[in-house]
């Protein structure tokens, strides 16, 4: 993986993805992102990292089923309403964003 002309990660794709330490990504968009407590999200079971990107929250998770259940419980307890929820397996793009703080569109 190269950022601004510098190699920031090297190796086979699966090895680089594994370096993220997360099996999957859970992304959700709340109706009001100002009500979301990032510190509380970071403490949810299965969550390894939390990022806020363009009105959505991206959770790198090591056990997607556990993290999704914990997130749903948290949302119910806090009364937060979400507009969208998506999940996917970790990708090279997720590694790039984690390492640089930039999406590929920003790079």
């Amino acid at each position: 993986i190269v950022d601004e002309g510098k190699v920031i990660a090297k190796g086979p794709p699966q090895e680089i993805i594994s370096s993220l330490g997360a099996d999957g990504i859970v992304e959700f968009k709340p109706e009001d992102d100002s009500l979301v407590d990032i510190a509380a999200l970071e403490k949810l079971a299965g969550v390894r990292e939390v990022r806020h990107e363009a009105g959505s929250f991206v959770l790198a998770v090591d056990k997607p089923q556990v993290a999704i259940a914990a997130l749903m419980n948290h949302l119910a307890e806090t009364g937060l309403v979400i507009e969208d929820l998506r999940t996917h397996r970790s990708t090279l793009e997720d590694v790039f964003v984690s390492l640089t703080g930039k999406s590929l569109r920003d790079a």
Side-chain angles (χ1 to χ4, degrees):
I1 296 179
V2 177
D3 180 37
E4 296 182 4
K6 295 181 181 179
V7 175
I8 58 172
K10 190 163 132 165
Q14 200 54 43
E15 186 178 297
I16 294 172
I17 293 168
S18 293
S19 74
L20 184 60
D23 292 335
I25 302 295
V26 176
E27 180 178 352
F28 72 96
K29 181 178 175 89
E31 283 186 347
D32 183 353
D33 64 349
S34 69
L35 301 176
V36 177
D37 180 355
I38 291 178
L41 294 176
E42 291 173 334
K43 294 177 184 174
L44 295 177
V47 174
R48 307 210 18 112
E49 178 186 351
V50 178
R51 295 188 312 271
H52 183 222
E53 299 176 356
S56 291
F57 291 84
V58 180
L59 286 61
V61 301
D62 57 7
K63 294 183 180 174
Q65 301 88 339
V66 171
I68 291 168
L71 175 62
M72 292 295 113
N73 286 334
H74 174 73
L75 294 173
E77 289 170 1
T78 59
L80 285 170
V81 177
I82 60 172
E83 295 177 356
D84 192 24
L85 174 73
R86 300 169 189 255
T87 65
H88 66 268
R89 292 199 176 278
S90 299
T91 65
L92 288 171
E93 180 175 359
D94 298 316
V95 175
F96 181 84
V97 172
S98 179
L99 292 174
T100 66
K102 304 182 270 190
S103 73
L104 291 177
R105 292 176 292 281
D106 298 337

